[in-house]
Each structure stands twice: as C-alpha cells, then as structure tokens.
Amino acid sequence: MISENLRKVEQEVQKACALASRQRESVTLVAVTKTVDLETTIEVVTNGVTDCAENRVEPFLAKKEAMKDLNVTWHFIGNLQRRKVKHVINEVDYFHALESLSLANEIQKRATKKIRCFIEVNVSGEESKQGIKPSELPSFVEQLSEFDKVEIVGLMTMAPFQSTKSEQRDVFLQLRNLQKSIEAQQLTYAPCHELSMGMSNDYTVAIEEGATFIRVGTALVKE
C-alpha cells in the first residue's frame, strides 16, 4: 500500500518539477505520519521516505525512540504549546510552526542547539489558522535577531482546504515573495532559503510555485 502510494506521489512530484523546470532534488518530501501507527511509519521510512512529520509530543517521542536505529529526519508541524517545548524542541530536526515571540522565547530558553525553524504565515487570512500576518512578518523577523538558538530557515503556510488551483497558486506565490524579500536581506540568523508549503491536495501546485518542503500525509498513508 505505502509503496504504491509513494510511486504515485513520486510521479506527481517529478511531473510538477519538470513543469517548473526544477530539479527533483530541490524538493524534500516530508511524510506526515501523525495519524498512523508506528508500524506504518516504519513502512514509510523503509520505502525510502526518510523525512517524517508529527504534531503531538508523546506519540512523536515514542516513535523516535522506537525508530532510533533508522535514518529519519524529524519534523514537528502544527501548534506547539509553550509548556511542551522543553519536551520536544531538542528532539526535532525542523520545527514548522513558529508564530509568536513568546514561543521563540521558550525555544531560546529550552534549546541546547540551534533549532531550524519555519515561520508560519497565515497568508490566506483564515481565522481558523494560526500564523503571522504577512504585514507583521518584517518586524517579527527583525525581533527574532535576539534569539541565537532560533534559525529561520524558511516560511510555511497552508492554502485553504476548499480552494481552487488558482487560489492555491495565489497563496503560494505570496509566500514565495515574502520568502524572497527576507532572503534578500542576507540575515545570518534568518537565511530563509526554504518554503514549506503544499499538502496532499495541493502539493503539485506548491512545487510549481517554489516549495522546497512538501508535507504529504493522506496521499502517502491512506489505505
């Protein structure tokens, strides 16, 4: 099941890269394994997808311990409560949901290494979504300069779930423009070369608009 799903996803990724005149290596496929059990997560990794994303602290820590002999790059996505930062932040390779100074401050306090973070930007303006408003991004980035344990590797967003390809493209293009504006500043603490955008329903559009990390769950792990 996983191998067949992966074959289909890989075909779509390669097609989208070709359309955008990009190298396949420029896109990292992150398997969103937050809804599946340990055995399925191991199956994903043994089929060659070595980047996995979780969003709940306890299941993530349990999986990481059980899979410590496997080569896995771990991503934490979604809301991370400040009181749980101490449990998870030194265990992840990438954190995709930095959206407040208070959270950055907690990471600064708890981190024992530099943490690679994506700033979550609420490009679509949906009230149900977390994230920094695009207009607040420049000042937010500026204020992060004081946190030497926080490295801004890129930006992250989600397009509205019920959206057309045109609407998805607009959201992703806006994020790319924001990313380019930060990258151009050549800040040592915020290189901002990466774009985390695109999920099972819109990852091909995201790739065409410059995504370097796509977060794919259902399309990979569904029955």
Side-chain angles (χ1 to χ4, degrees), residues 7-64:
R7 187 184 65 79
K8 291 175 183 172
V9 169
E10 186 56 40
Q11 281 182 341
E12 292 295 321
V13 170
Q14 291 186 22
K15 195 189 304 180
C17 285
L19 273 172
S21 300
R22 297 179 61 189
Q23 296 295 313
R24 169 63 186 90
E25 295 72 33
S26 68
V27 180
T28 298
L29 171 60
V30 180
V32 178
T33 50
K34 64 182 186 179
T35 61
V36 297
D37 59 16
L38 174 63
E39 289 70 29
T40 306
T41 305
I42 291 173
E43 190 181 347
V44 167
V45 174
T46 54
N47 270 278
V49 183
T50 55
D51 287 74
C52 294
E54 295 285 326
N55 72 337
R56 285 163 49 232
V57 174
E58 291 78 11
F60 158 61
L61 294 174
K63 281 184 182 179
K64 185 177 182 187

Side-chain angles (χ1 to χ4, degrees), residues 104-131:
N105 188 55
E106 192 65 27
I107 292 171
Q108 178 70 20
K109 273 189 352 193
R110 304 296 184 178
T112 57
K113 60 180 181 179
K114 193 168 283 192
I115 308 299
R116 291 178 287 192
C117 299
F118 289 86
I119 297 174
E120 183 172 359
V121 186
N122 187 354
V123 174
S124 65
E126 291 177 276
E127 289 186 11
S128 60
K129 283 195 170 76
Q130 294 187 294

Side-chain angles (χ1 to χ4, degrees), residues 7-210:
R7 187 184 65 79
K8 291 175 183 172
V9 169
E10 186 56 40
Q11 281 182 341
E12 292 295 321
V13 170
Q14 291 186 22
K15 195 189 304 180
C17 285
L19 273 172
S21 300
R22 297 179 61 189
Q23 296 295 313
R24 169 63 186 90
E25 295 72 33
S26 68
V27 180
T28 298
L29 171 60
V30 180
V32 178
T33 50
K34 64 182 186 179
T35 61
V36 297
D37 59 16
L38 174 63
E39 289 70 29
T40 306
T41 305
I42 291 173
E43 190 181 347
V44 167
V45 174
T46 54
N47 270 278
V49 183
T50 55
D51 287 74
C52 294
E54 295 285 326
N55 72 337
R56 285 163 49 232
V57 174
E58 291 78 11
F60 158 61
L61 294 174
K63 281 184 182 179
K64 185 177 182 187
E65 174 61 25
M67 296 168 66
K68 62 187 177 186
D69 294 330
L70 296 174
N71 175 32
V72 184
T73 298
W74 290 103
H75 301 251
F76 201 88
I77 59 176
N79 178 42
L80 178 60
Q81 295 170 306
R82 275 177 294 164
R83 63 187 176 85
K84 294 194 173 185
V85 166
K86 62 185 177 185
H87 301 298
V88 73
I89 206 63
N90 292 302
E91 303 297 327
V92 299
D93 297 294
Y94 289 93
F95 176 53
H96 288 246
L98 180 61
E99 41 77 41
S100 70
L101 282 175
S102 58
L103 185 54
N105 188 55
E106 192 65 27
I107 292 171
Q108 178 70 20
K109 273 189 352 193
R110 304 296 184 178
T112 57
K113 60 180 181 179
K114 193 168 283 192
I115 308 299
R116 291 178 287 192
C117 299
F118 289 86
I119 297 174
E120 183 172 359
V121 186
N122 187 354
V123 174
S124 65
E126 291 177 276
E127 289 186 11
S128 60
K129 283 195 170 76
Q130 294 187 294
I132 299 289
K133 291 178 181 175
S135 61
E136 297 171 344
L137 187 61
S139 62
F140 183 62
V141 171
E142 193 177 321
Q143 291 173 88
L144 290 174
S145 64
E146 64 188 84
F147 302 111
D148 65 355
K149 294 283 180 24
V150 175
E151 180 182 22
I152 304 306
V153 296
L155 305 181
M156 185 279 270
T157 201
M158 290 176 281
F161 189 72
Q162 299 290 343
S163 55
T164 64
K165 283 198 172 185
S166 174
E167 290 166 338
Q168 293 163 4
R169 200 174 296 282
D170 181 58
V171 166
F172 297 148
L173 179 58
Q174 284 186 61
L175 192 75
R176 185 180 185 181
N177 288 337
L178 292 167
Q179 174 256 322
K180 290 295 180 191
S181 70
I182 297 169
E183 184 183 50
Q185 296 177 54
Q186 298 184 323
L187 303 168
T188 53
Y189 67 93
C192 205
H193 300 314
E194 312 296 344
L195 281 167
S196 171
M197 58 190 195
M199 300 189 292
S200 288
N201 61 317
D202 56 17
Y203 66 87
T204 56
V205 177
I207 290 169
E208 289 171 32
E209 294 304 327

Side-chain angles (χ1 to χ4, degrees), residues 206-223:
I207 290 169
E208 289 171 32
E209 294 304 327
T212 58
F213 287 76
I214 53 171
R215 310 177 306 274
V216 181
T218 310
L220 265 182
V221 300
K222 69 183 179 199
E223 294 290 346

